[in-house]
Coordinates of all heavy atoms in Angstrom, one line a residue:
M1 N 4.3 -1.5 16.9 CA 4.7 -2.8 16.6 C 5.5 -3.4 17.8 O 6.1 -2.7 18.5 CB 5.6 -2.7 15.3 CG 6.1 -4.1 14.9 SD 6.5 -4.3 13.2 CE 7.9 -3.5 13.0
S2 N 5.4 -4.7 17.9 CA 6.1 -5.3 19.0 C 7.5 -5.5 18.7 O 8.0 -5.4 17.5 CB 5.4 -6.8 19.2 OG 6.3 -7.8 18.9
A3 N 8.3 -5.7 19.7 CA 9.8 -5.7 19.7 C 10.2 -7.1 19.2 O 11.5 -7.4 19.0 CB 10.4 -5.4 20.9
S4 N 9.3 -8.1 19.0 CA 9.7 -9.5 18.6 C 10.2 -9.5 17.2 O 9.8 -8.7 16.4 CB 8.6 -10.4 18.9 OG 7.5 -10.1 18.0
V5 N 11.0 -10.5 17.0 CA 11.5 -10.8 15.6 C 10.5 -11.7 14.9 O 10.1 -12.8 15.5 CB 12.9 -11.4 15.7 CG1 13.5 -11.7 14.3 CG2 13.8 -10.4 16.4
I6 N 10.3 -11.5 13.7 CA 9.4 -12.4 12.9 C 10.2 -13.3 12.1 O 11.2 -12.9 11.5 CB 8.5 -11.5 12.0 CG1 7.5 -10.6 12.8 CG2 7.6 -12.4 11.1 CD1 6.7 -9.7 12.0
S7 N 9.8 -14.6 12.1 CA 10.6 -15.6 11.3 C 10.5 -15.3 9.8 O 9.5 -14.7 9.3 CB 10.0 -17.0 11.7 OG 8.8 -17.2 11.1
P8 N 11.5 -15.9 9.1 CA 11.5 -15.7 7.7 C 10.3 -16.4 7.0 O 9.7 -15.9 6.0 CB 12.8 -16.4 7.2 CG 13.7 -16.3 8.4 CD 12.8 -16.4 9.6
E9 N 9.8 -17.5 7.6 CA 8.6 -18.1 7.1 C 7.4 -17.2 7.2 O 6.5 -17.2 6.3 CB 8.4 -19.5 7.8 CG 9.4 -20.6 7.6 CD 10.6 -20.4 8.5 OE1 10.5 -19.7 9.6 OE2 11.7 -20.9 8.2
R10 N 7.2 -16.6 8.3 CA 6.1 -15.6 8.5 C 6.2 -14.5 7.6 O 5.2 -14.0 7.0 CB 6.0 -15.2 10.0 CG 5.5 -16.3 10.8 CD 5.2 -15.9 12.2 NE 4.7 -16.9 13.0 CZ 3.6 -17.0 13.6 NH1 2.8 -15.9 13.5 NH2 3.3 -18.0 14.4
L11 N 7.4 -14.0 7.4 CA 7.6 -12.8 6.4 C 7.3 -13.2 5.1 O 6.6 -12.5 4.3 CB 9.0 -12.3 6.5 CG 9.3 -11.5 7.8 CD1 10.8 -11.2 7.9 CD2 8.5 -10.2 7.8
S12 N 7.6 -14.5 4.7 CA 7.3 -15.0 3.3 C 5.8 -15.1 3.2 O 5.2 -14.8 2.1 CB 7.9 -16.3 3.2 OG 7.6 -16.9 2.0
E13 N 5.1 -15.5 4.2 CA 3.6 -15.6 4.2 C 3.0 -14.2 4.1 O 2.0 -14.0 3.4 CB 3.1 -16.3 5.5 CG 1.6 -16.5 5.5 CD 1.1 -17.4 4.4 OE1 1.8 -18.0 3.6 OE2 -0.2 -17.6 4.4
V14 N 3.6 -13.2 4.8 CA 3.1 -11.8 4.7 C 3.2 -11.3 3.2 O 2.3 -10.7 2.7 CB 3.8 -10.9 5.6 CG1 3.5 -9.4 5.3 CG2 3.5 -11.2 7.1
R15 N 4.4 -11.6 2.7 CA 4.6 -11.2 1.3 C 3.6 -11.9 0.3 O 3.1 -11.3 -0.6 CB 6.0 -11.6 0.8 CG 6.6 -11.1 -0.4 CD 8.0 -11.3 -0.7 NE 8.6 -10.5 -1.7 CZ 8.4 -10.6 -2.9 NH1 7.6 -11.5 -3.4 NH2 9.0 -9.8 -3.8
R16 N 3.4 -13.2 0.6 CA 2.4 -14.0 -0.3 C 1.0 -13.4 -0.2 O 0.3 -13.1 -1.2 CB 2.4 -15.5 0.1 CG 1.5 -16.3 -0.8 CD 1.4 -17.8 -0.3 NE 0.6 -17.8 0.9 CZ -0.8 -17.7 1.0 NH1 -1.5 -17.5 -0.2 NH2 -1.4 -17.9 2.1
L17 N 0.5 -13.1 1.0 CA -0.8 -12.6 1.3 C -0.9 -11.1 0.8 O -1.9 -10.8 0.2 CB -1.1 -12.6 2.8 CG -1.3 -14.1 3.3 CD1 -1.4 -14.0 4.9 CD2 -2.5 -14.7 2.7
A18 N 0.1 -10.4 0.9 CA 0.2 -9.0 0.4 C 0.0 -9.1 -1.2 O -0.7 -8.2 -1.8 CB 1.4 -8.3 0.8
T19 N 0.7 -10.0 -1.8 CA 0.6 -10.1 -3.2 C -0.9 -10.5 -3.6 O -1.5 -10.0 -4.6 CB 1.6 -11.2 -3.7 OG1 2.9 -10.8 -3.4 CG2 1.4 -11.3 -5.3
A20 N -1.5 -11.4 -3.0 CA -2.8 -11.8 -3.2 C -3.8 -10.7 -3.1 O -4.7 -10.5 -3.9 CB -3.2 -13.1 -2.4
L21 N -3.7 -10.0 -2.0 CA -4.6 -8.8 -1.7 C -4.3 -7.7 -2.8 O -5.3 -7.1 -3.3 CB -4.3 -8.3 -0.3 CG -5.3 -7.1 0.1 CD1 -6.8 -7.5 0.0 CD2 -5.0 -6.7 1.6
A22 N -3.1 -7.5 -3.1 CA -2.8 -6.4 -4.1 C -3.4 -6.8 -5.4 O -3.9 -5.9 -6.1 CB -1.3 -6.3 -4.2
D23 N -3.4 -8.1 -5.7 CA -4.1 -8.5 -7.0 C -5.6 -8.2 -7.0 O -6.1 -7.7 -8.0 CB -3.8 -10.0 -7.2 CG -4.4 -10.5 -8.5 OD1 -4.1 -9.9 -9.6 OD2 -5.2 -11.5 -8.4
R24 N -6.2 -8.4 -5.8 CA -7.6 -8.1 -5.7 C -7.9 -6.6 -5.8 O -8.8 -6.1 -6.4 CB -8.2 -8.6 -4.4 CG -8.1 -10.1 -4.2 CD -8.7 -10.6 -3.0 NE -10.1 -10.9 -3.2 CZ -11.0 -11.2 -2.3 NH1 -10.6 -11.2 -1.0 NH2 -12.2 -11.5 -2.5
V25 N -7.0 -5.8 -5.2 CA -7.2 -4.3 -5.2 C -6.9 -3.9 -6.6 O -7.7 -3.0 -7.1 CB -6.1 -3.7 -4.2 CG1 -6.0 -2.2 -4.4 CG2 -6.6 -4.0 -2.7
L26 N -5.9 -4.4 -7.3 CA -5.7 -3.9 -8.7 C -6.9 -4.3 -9.6 O -7.3 -3.5 -10.4 CB -4.4 -4.5 -9.3 CG -3.1 -3.9 -8.7 CD1 -1.9 -4.8 -9.1 CD2 -3.0 -2.5 -9.2
D27 N -7.5 -5.5 -9.4 CA -8.7 -5.8 -10.1 C -9.8 -4.9 -9.9 O -10.5 -4.5 -10.8 CB -9.0 -7.3 -9.7 CG -10.3 -7.8 -10.5 OD1 -10.2 -7.8 -11.8 OD2 -11.3 -8.2 -9.9
A28 N -10.0 -4.5 -8.7 CA -11.1 -3.5 -8.3 C -10.7 -2.2 -9.0 O -11.7 -1.5 -9.6 CB -11.2 -3.3 -6.8
Q29 N -9.5 -1.7 -8.9 CA -9.1 -0.5 -9.5 C -9.3 -0.4 -11.1 O -9.9 0.5 -11.6 CB -7.6 -0.1 -9.2 CG -7.3 0.2 -7.8 CD -5.9 0.3 -7.5 OE1 -5.0 -0.2 -8.2 NE2 -5.6 1.0 -6.4
I30 N -9.0 -1.5 -11.7 CA -9.1 -1.7 -13.1 C -10.6 -1.7 -13.5 O -11.0 -1.1 -14.5 CB -8.4 -3.0 -13.7 CG1 -7.0 -2.8 -13.6 CG2 -8.9 -3.2 -15.1 CD1 -6.1 -4.1 -13.7
A31 N -11.4 -2.4 -12.7 CA -12.9 -2.5 -13.0 C -13.6 -1.2 -12.5 O -14.8 -1.1 -12.7 CB -13.4 -3.6 -12.3
G32 N -12.9 -0.2 -11.9 CA -13.6 1.0 -11.5 C -14.4 0.8 -10.2 O -15.3 1.6 -9.9
R33 N -14.2 -0.3 -9.5 CA -14.9 -0.5 -8.2 C -14.1 0.1 -7.0 O -12.9 0.2 -7.1 CB -15.0 -2.0 -8.0 CG -15.9 -2.7 -8.9 CD -16.2 -4.2 -8.6 NE -14.9 -4.9 -8.1 CZ -14.3 -5.7 -9.0 NH1 -14.5 -5.9 -10.2 NH2 -13.2 -6.4 -8.5
P34 N -14.8 0.5 -6.0 CA -14.1 1.1 -4.8 C -13.3 0.0 -4.1 O -13.7 -1.1 -4.1 CB -15.2 1.7 -4.0 CG -16.5 0.9 -4.4 CD -16.3 0.5 -5.8
V35 N -12.2 0.5 -3.6 CA -11.4 -0.5 -2.8 C -11.7 -0.2 -1.3 O -11.8 0.8 -0.8 CB -9.9 -0.1 -3.0 CG1 -9.0 -0.9 -2.1 CG2 -9.5 -0.2 -4.4
P36 N -12.2 -1.3 -0.7 CA -12.5 -1.2 0.8 C -11.4 -0.6 1.6 O -10.2 -1.0 1.4 CB -12.8 -2.6 1.2 CG -13.2 -3.4 -0.1 CD -12.3 -2.7 -1.2
T37 N -11.8 0.2 2.5 CA -10.7 0.9 3.3 C -9.9 -0.1 4.1 O -8.7 0.1 4.2 CB -11.5 1.9 4.4 OG1 -12.4 2.7 3.6 CG2 -10.5 2.6 5.2
D38 N -10.5 -1.2 4.6 CA -9.7 -2.1 5.4 C -8.7 -2.8 4.5 O -7.6 -3.2 4.9 CB -10.6 -3.2 6.1 CG -11.5 -3.9 5.1 OD1 -11.7 -3.5 4.0 OD2 -12.0 -5.1 5.5
Q39 N -8.9 -3.0 3.2 CA -8.0 -3.6 2.3 C -6.8 -2.7 2.1 O -5.7 -3.1 2.0 CB -8.6 -4.0 0.9 CG -9.5 -5.3 1.2 CD -10.2 -5.7 -0.2 OE1 -9.8 -5.2 -1.2 NE2 -11.0 -6.7 -0.1
A40 N -7.2 -1.4 1.9 CA -6.1 -0.4 1.6 C -5.2 -0.3 2.9 O -4.0 -0.2 2.7 CB -6.7 1.0 1.3
G41 N -5.8 -0.3 4.0 CA -5.1 -0.2 5.3 C -4.1 -1.5 5.4 O -3.0 -1.4 5.9
A42 N -4.7 -2.6 5.1 CA -3.9 -3.9 5.2 C -2.7 -3.9 4.3 O -1.6 -4.3 4.7 CB -4.8 -5.1 4.9
L43 N -2.9 -3.4 3.1 CA -1.8 -3.2 2.2 C -0.7 -2.3 2.7 O 0.5 -2.6 2.7 CB -2.2 -2.8 0.9 CG -2.9 -3.8 -0.1 CD1 -3.4 -3.2 -1.4 CD2 -2.0 -5.0 -0.3
A44 N -1.1 -1.1 3.4 CA -0.2 -0.2 3.9 C 0.6 -0.8 5.1 O 1.8 -0.7 5.2 CB -0.9 1.1 4.3
K45 N -0.1 -1.5 5.9 CA 0.5 -2.2 7.0 C 1.5 -3.2 6.6 O 2.6 -3.4 7.2 CB -0.5 -2.7 8.0 CG -1.3 -1.7 8.8 CD -2.4 -2.3 9.6 CE -3.2 -1.3 10.3 NZ -4.2 -1.9 11.2
A46 N 1.1 -4.0 5.6 CA 2.0 -5.1 5.1 C 3.3 -4.4 4.5 O 4.4 -5.0 4.7 CB 1.3 -5.9 4.1
A47 N 3.1 -3.3 3.8 CA 4.3 -2.7 3.2 C 5.2 -2.1 4.3 O 6.4 -2.3 4.2 CB 3.8 -1.5 2.3
G48 N 4.6 -1.6 5.3 CA 5.4 -1.1 6.5 C 6.1 -2.2 7.2 O 7.3 -2.0 7.5
L49 N 5.5 -3.3 7.4 CA 6.1 -4.4 8.0 C 7.3 -4.9 7.2 O 8.4 -5.2 7.7 CB 5.1 -5.5 8.3 CG 5.6 -6.8 8.9 CD1 5.9 -6.5 10.4 CD2 4.7 -7.9 8.8
M50 N 7.0 -5.1 5.9 CA 8.1 -5.6 5.1 C 9.2 -4.6 4.9 O 10.4 -5.0 4.9 CB 7.6 -5.9 3.6 CG 6.7 -7.2 3.6 SD 6.2 -7.7 2.0 CE 4.8 -6.6 1.6
H51 N 8.9 -3.3 5.0 CA 10.0 -2.3 4.9 C 10.8 -2.4 6.3 O 12.0 -2.3 6.2 CB 9.4 -0.9 4.8 CG 10.3 0.2 4.9 ND1 11.3 0.4 4.0 CD2 10.6 1.0 6.0 CE1 12.1 1.5 4.4 NE2 11.6 1.9 5.6
D52 N 10.1 -2.6 7.4 CA 10.8 -2.7 8.7 C 11.8 -3.8 8.7 O 12.8 -3.8 9.4 CB 9.9 -2.7 9.9 CG 9.1 -1.4 10.0 OD1 9.5 -0.4 9.4 OD2 8.0 -1.5 10.8
Y53 N 11.5 -4.9 8.1 CA 12.3 -6.1 8.1 C 13.1 -6.3 6.9 O 13.8 -7.4 6.7 CB 11.4 -7.3 8.3 CG 10.9 -7.5 9.7 CD1 9.8 -6.9 10.3 CD2 11.7 -8.2 10.7 CE1 9.4 -7.0 11.5 CE2 11.4 -8.3 12.0 CZ 10.2 -7.7 12.4 OH 9.8 -7.8 13.8
G54 N 13.2 -5.3 6.0 CA 14.0 -5.4 4.8 C 13.7 -6.4 3.8 O 14.5 -6.8 3.0
V55 N 12.4 -6.7 3.7 CA 11.8 -7.6 2.7 C 11.4 -6.8 1.5 O 10.8 -5.8 1.6 CB 10.6 -8.4 3.3 CG1 10.0 -9.3 2.2 CG2 11.0 -9.2 4.5
D56 N 11.9 -7.2 0.3 CA 11.4 -6.6 -1.0 C 10.0 -6.7 -1.2 O 9.4 -7.7 -0.9 CB 12.2 -7.2 -2.2 CG 13.7 -6.9 -2.2 OD1 14.0 -5.9 -1.7 OD2 14.4 -7.7 -2.8
W57 N 9.3 -5.5 -1.5 CA 7.9 -5.6 -1.9 C 7.7 -6.3 -3.1 O 8.4 -6.2 -4.1 CB 7.4 -4.2 -2.0 CG 7.4 -3.3 -0.7 CD1 7.8 -3.6 0.5 CD2 6.9 -2.0 -0.6 NE1 7.7 -2.7 1.3 CE2 7.1 -1.6 0.6 CE3 6.3 -1.1 -1.6 CZ2 6.7 -0.4 1.1 CZ3 5.9 0.1 -1.1 CH2 6.1 0.5 0.2
P58 N 6.5 -7.1 -3.1 CA 6.1 -7.7 -4.5 C 5.7 -6.5 -5.4 O 5.2 -5.5 -5.0 CB 4.9 -8.5 -4.1 CG 4.9 -8.5 -2.6 CD 5.6 -7.4 -2.1
P59 N 6.0 -6.7 -6.7 CA 5.7 -5.6 -7.7 C 4.2 -5.3 -7.6 O 3.8 -4.1 -7.8 CB 6.1 -6.3 -9.0 CG 7.2 -7.2 -8.7 CD 6.7 -7.8 -7.3
L60 N 3.3 -6.2 -7.5 CA 1.9 -5.9 -7.5 C 1.5 -5.0 -6.3 O 0.7 -4.2 -6.4 CB 1.0 -7.3 -7.3 CG 1.0 -8.1 -8.6 CD1 0.1 -9.3 -8.3 CD2 0.3 -7.3 -9.8
L61 N 2.2 -5.2 -5.1 CA 2.0 -4.4 -4.0 C 2.3 -2.9 -4.3 O 1.5 -2.0 -4.0 CB 2.7 -4.9 -2.7 CG 2.6 -4.1 -1.5 CD1 1.2 -3.9 -0.9 CD2 3.5 -4.6 -0.4
T62 N 3.5 -2.7 -4.9 CA 3.9 -1.4 -5.3 C 2.9 -0.7 -6.2 O 2.5 0.4 -6.0 CB 5.3 -1.4 -5.9 OG1 6.1 -2.0 -5.0 CG2 5.7 0.0 -6.2
Q63 N 2.4 -1.5 -7.2 CA 1.4 -1.0 -8.2 C 0.1 -0.7 -7.6 O -0.5 0.4 -7.8 CB 1.2 -2.0 -9.3 CG 0.5 -1.5 -10.5 CD 0.4 -2.5 -11.6 OE1 1.0 -3.5 -11.5 NE2 -0.4 -2.2 -12.6
A64 N -0.4 -1.6 -6.6 CA -1.7 -1.3 -6.0 C -1.6 0.0 -5.1 O -2.5 0.7 -5.1 CB -2.1 -2.6 -5.2
L65 N -0.5 0.1 -4.4 CA -0.3 1.3 -3.5 C -0.3 2.6 -4.3 O -0.8 3.6 -3.8 CB 0.9 1.1 -2.6 CG 0.7 0.0 -1.5 CD1 2.0 -0.2 -0.8 CD2 -0.4 0.3 -0.6
H66 N 0.4 2.5 -5.4 CA 0.5 3.7 -6.2 C -1.0 4.1 -6.8 O -1.2 5.3 -6.9 CB 1.5 3.6 -7.4 CG 2.9 3.8 -7.0 ND1 3.4 5.0 -6.7 CD2 3.9 2.9 -6.9 CE1 4.6 4.8 -6.4 NE2 5.0 3.6 -6.4
G67 N -1.7 3.1 -6.9 CA -3.2 3.3 -7.4 C -4.0 3.9 -6.3 O -5.0 4.5 -6.6
L68 N -3.7 3.6 -5.1 CA -4.4 4.1 -3.9 C -4.1 5.5 -3.5 O -4.9 6.2 -3.0 CB -4.2 3.1 -2.7 CG -4.9 1.8 -2.9 CD1 -4.4 0.9 -1.7 CD2 -6.4 1.8 -2.9
V69 N -2.9 5.9 -3.7 CA -2.4 7.3 -3.3 C -2.4 8.1 -4.5 O -1.7 7.9 -5.5 CB -1.0 7.1 -2.7 CG1 -0.5 8.6 -2.3 CG2 -0.9 6.2 -1.5
P70 N -3.2 9.2 -4.5 CA -3.4 10.0 -5.6 C -2.1 10.8 -5.9 O -1.4 11.2 -4.9 CB -4.5 11.0 -5.2 CG -4.5 11.0 -3.7 CD -4.1 9.6 -3.4
D71 N -1.7 11.0 -7.1 CA -0.5 11.8 -7.4 C -0.7 13.2 -7.1 O -1.8 13.8 -7.3 CB -0.3 11.7 -8.9 CG 0.9 12.4 -9.4 OD1 1.9 12.5 -8.6 OD2 0.9 12.9 -10.5
A72 N 0.2 13.8 -6.3 CA 0.0 15.2 -5.8 C -0.3 16.2 -7.0 O -1.1 17.1 -6.8 CB 1.2 15.6 -5.1
D73 N 0.4 16.0 -8.1 CA 0.2 17.0 -9.1 C -1.2 16.8 -9.8 O -1.8 17.8 -10.1 CB 1.3 16.8 -10.3 CG 2.7 17.2 -9.8 OD1 2.8 18.0 -8.9 OD2 3.6 16.6 -10.2
A74 N -1.6 15.5 -10.0 CA -2.9 15.3 -10.6 C -4.0 15.7 -9.7 O -5.0 16.2 -10.1 CB -3.0 13.9 -11.0
A75 N -3.8 15.5 -8.3 CA -4.8 15.9 -7.3 C -5.1 17.4 -7.3 O -6.1 17.8 -7.1 CB -4.5 15.4 -5.9
A76 N -4.0 18.1 -7.5 CA -4.1 19.6 -7.5 C -4.9 20.1 -8.7 O -5.5 21.1 -8.6 CB -2.7 20.2 -7.6
V77 N -4.8 19.4 -9.9 CA -5.5 19.8 -11.1 C -7.0 19.3 -11.0 O -7.8 20.2 -11.2 CB -4.9 19.2 -12.4 CG1 -5.7 19.4 -13.6 CG2 -3.5 19.6 -12.4
E78 N -7.2 18.1 -10.6 CA -8.6 17.6 -10.5 C -8.7 16.5 -9.5 O -8.2 15.4 -9.7 CB -9.0 17.0 -11.9 CG -10.5 16.6 -12.0 CD -10.9 16.2 -13.4 OE1 -10.2 16.6 -14.4 OE2 -11.8 15.4 -13.5
P79 N -9.4 16.8 -8.4 CA -9.5 15.7 -7.3 C -10.4 14.6 -7.9 O -11.3 14.8 -8.7 CB -10.1 16.4 -6.2 CG -10.8 17.7 -6.8 CD -10.0 18.0 -8.0
E80 N -10.1 13.4 -7.5 CA -10.8 12.2 -7.9 C -11.8 11.8 -6.8 O -11.4 11.3 -5.7 CB -9.9 11.1 -8.2 CG -8.9 11.4 -9.4 CD -8.0 10.2 -9.7 OE1 -8.5 9.0 -9.5 OE2 -6.9 10.5 -10.2
P81 N -13.1 12.0 -7.0 CA -14.1 11.7 -6.0 C -14.1 10.2 -5.5 O -14.4 9.9 -4.5 CB -15.4 12.1 -6.5 CG -15.2 12.2 -8.0 CD -13.7 12.5 -8.2
E82 N -13.8 9.3 -6.4 CA -13.9 7.9 -6.1 C -12.8 7.5 -5.1 O -12.9 6.4 -4.5 CB -13.8 7.0 -7.3 CG -12.4 6.9 -8.0 CD -12.3 8.1 -9.1 OE1 -13.3 8.9 -9.2 OE2 -11.4 8.0 -9.8
L83 N -11.8 8.3 -4.8 CA -10.8 8.1 -3.8 C -11.2 8.5 -2.5 O -10.5 8.1 -1.5 CB -9.4 8.7 -4.2 CG -8.7 8.2 -5.4 CD1 -7.5 9.0 -5.7 CD2 -8.4 6.7 -5.3
A84 N -12.3 9.2 -2.3 CA -12.7 9.7 -1.0 C -13.6 8.5 -0.3 O -14.7 8.5 -0.2 CB -13.6 10.9 -1.1
L85 N -12.8 7.5 0.1 CA -13.4 6.4 0.8 C -13.8 6.8 2.2 O -13.0 7.6 2.9 CB -12.5 5.2 0.9 CG -12.0 4.6 -0.5 CD1 -10.9 3.6 -0.2 CD2 -13.2 4.0 -1.1
P86 N -14.9 6.4 2.8 CA -15.3 6.7 4.1 C -14.2 6.1 5.1 O -13.7 4.9 4.9 CB -16.6 6.0 4.4 CG -16.8 5.1 3.3 CD -15.9 5.5 2.2
N87 N -13.8 6.9 6.0 CA -12.8 6.5 7.1 C -11.4 6.2 6.6 O -10.6 5.7 7.2 CB -13.3 5.3 7.9 CG -14.6 5.5 8.5 OD1 -14.9 6.6 9.0 ND2 -15.5 4.5 8.5
A88 N -11.2 6.6 5.3 CA -9.8 6.3 4.7 C -8.9 7.5 5.1 O -9.3 8.7 5.1 CB -9.9 6.2 3.2
D89 N -7.7 7.3 5.5 CA -6.7 8.2 5.8 C -5.7 8.3 4.6 O -4.6 7.9 4.6 CB -6.0 7.9 7.0 CG -5.0 9.0 7.4 OD1 -5.1 10.1 6.9 OD2 -4.2 8.7 8.3
L90 N -6.2 8.8 3.4 CA -5.4 9.0 2.3 C -4.3 10.0 2.4 O -3.2 9.8 1.9 CB -6.2 9.3 1.0 CG -7.2 8.2 0.6 CD1 -8.0 8.6 -0.6 CD2 -6.5 6.8 0.4
D91 N -4.5 11.1 3.2 CA -3.5 12.0 3.5 C -2.3 11.2 4.3 O -1.1 11.5 4.0 CB -3.9 13.2 4.3 CG -4.8 14.0 3.4 OD1 -4.7 14.1 2.2 OD2 -5.7 14.8 4.1
G92 N -2.7 10.4 5.2 CA -1.7 9.6 6.0 C -1.0 8.7 5.0 O 0.3 8.5 5.2
L93 N -1.7 8.0 4.2 CA -1.0 7.2 3.2 C 0.0 7.9 2.3 O 1.1 7.5 2.1 CB -2.1 6.3 2.4 CG -2.7 5.2 3.0 CD1 -3.9 4.7 2.1 CD2 -1.8 4.1 3.4
S94 N -0.5 9.0 1.8 CA 0.4 9.9 1.0 C 1.6 10.3 1.7 O 2.7 10.2 1.2 CB -0.4 11.2 0.6 OG -1.5 10.8 -0.2
R95 N 1.5 10.7 3.0 CA 2.8 11.1 3.8 C 3.6 9.9 4.0 O 4.9 10.0 3.9 CB 2.4 11.7 5.1 CG 1.8 13.1 5.0 CD 1.7 13.8 6.3 NE 0.8 13.1 7.2 CZ -0.5 13.2 7.3 NH1 -1.1 13.9 6.5 NH2 -1.2 12.5 8.2
F96 N 3.1 8.7 4.2 CA 3.8 7.4 4.5 C 4.6 7.1 3.3 O 5.7 6.9 3.3 CB 2.9 6.4 4.9 CG 3.5 5.0 5.0 CD1 4.3 4.7 6.1 CD2 3.4 4.1 4.0 CE1 4.9 3.5 6.3 CE2 4.1 2.8 4.2 CZ 4.8 2.6 5.3
F97 N 4.0 7.1 2.1 CA 4.7 6.8 0.9 C 5.6 7.8 0.3 O 6.4 7.5 -0.5 CB 3.7 6.2 -0.2 CG 3.1 4.9 0.3 CD1 1.8 4.8 0.6 CD2 3.9 3.8 0.4 CE1 1.3 3.6 1.1 CE2 3.4 2.6 0.9 CZ 2.1 2.5 1.2
A98 N 5.5 9.0 0.7 CA 6.2 10.1 0.2 C 7.8 9.8 0.6 O 8.6 10.1 -0.2 CB 5.8 11.4 0.9
G99 N 8.0 9.1 1.7 CA 9.3 8.8 2.1 C 10.0 7.8 1.2 O 11.2 7.7 1.2
F100 N 9.2 7.1 0.4 CA 9.8 6.0 -0.4 C 10.0 6.5 -1.8 O 10.6 5.8 -2.6 CB 8.8 4.8 -0.5 CG 8.7 4.1 0.9 CD1 7.6 4.3 1.7 CD2 9.8 3.4 1.4 CE1 7.5 3.7 2.9 CE2 9.7 2.8 2.7 CZ 8.5 3.0 3.4
R101 N 9.5 7.7 -2.2 CA 9.6 8.2 -3.6 C 11.1 8.6 -3.7 O 11.8 9.1 -2.8 CB 8.8 9.4 -3.8 CG 7.3 9.0 -3.8 CD 6.5 10.3 -4.3 NE 5.1 9.8 -4.3 CZ 4.2 10.5 -3.6 NH1 4.5 11.5 -2.9 NH2 2.9 10.1 -3.6
K102 N 11.6 8.3 -4.8 CA 13.0 8.6 -5.2 C 13.2 10.1 -5.2 O 12.3 10.8 -5.8 CB 13.5 8.0 -6.5 CG 13.6 6.5 -6.4 CD 14.1 5.9 -7.6 CE 14.2 4.4 -7.5 NZ 14.7 3.8 -8.7
G103 N 14.2 10.7 -4.6 CA 14.4 12.1 -4.6 C 13.6 12.9 -3.7 O 13.6 14.0 -3.7
A104 N 12.8 12.2 -2.8 CA 12.0 12.9 -2.0 C 12.8 13.5 -0.8 O 13.8 12.9 -0.3 CB 11.0 11.9 -1.2
P105 N 12.6 14.8 -0.5 CA 13.4 15.4 0.5 C 13.2 14.8 1.9 O 12.0 14.4 2.2 CB 12.9 16.9 0.6 CG 11.6 16.8 -0.1 CD 11.6 15.6 -1.0
K106 N 14.2 14.6 2.7 CA 14.1 14.0 4.0 C 13.6 15.1 4.9 O 14.1 16.3 4.9 CB 15.4 13.6 4.5 CG 16.0 12.5 3.5 CD 15.4 11.1 3.8 CE 16.1 10.1 2.9 NZ 15.6 8.9 2.9
S107 N 12.7 14.8 5.9 CA 12.1 15.8 6.7 C 12.7 15.6 8.1 O 13.3 14.6 8.5 CB 10.6 15.8 6.8 OG 10.1 14.5 7.0

């Protein structure tokens, strides 16, 4: 990421666009359609950017991201084949979001 500061207007636009994309991702998840890898990556990048700048995540973004990252306990019982998107780094997303879980041990 660049060292430049992003204006509040641009951060507001990132939040708005992340909400719109999260809505589309949630719609796909509810309908049982695969979520394109580029959309999942865009949501993760938007979440990281908002985190870096201290912007609260939209609730839809949180919900969509939780739907993209398999629960560790559930994945151990039965892996979900529909989450195996080509070129998706779900392990990387899982590690990224593990730091945001409450009570997660700091590494």
